Amino acid sequence: MRRQIEVLVDERRRLAALPQRPSAWVDVETGQTFTDAWAGVGQENTVASS
């Protein structure tokens, strides 16, 4: 258990040392409406049965 904690602490230190940037929201035009996007939700995960 002690080794697992050491690994997690090391990972936290590594992540804390990475460059920080403020959170942001970026609008990207897709050419789709919300209706178009919702209509396509799940279709890529549908498996056709034989």
Side-chain angles (χ1 to χ4, degrees):
M1 176 105 152
R2 183 176 178 96
R3 177 66 184 140
Q4 291 171 326
I5 292 173
E6 289 174 359
V7 169
L8 292 173
V9 169
D10 289 344
E11 178 67 1
R12 186 181 184 291
R13 285 186 183 132
R14 184 188 71 79
L15 292 171
L18 293 175
Q20 302 295 310
R21 66 175 185 205
S23 61
W25 184 279
V26 179
D27 286 326
V28 177
E29 293 293 327
T30 64
Q32 279 188 310
T33 65
F34 283 107
T35 302
D36 295 338
W38 278 104
V41 170
Q43 289 180 355
E44 65 278 358
N45 296 323
T46 303
V47 177
S49 56
S50 301

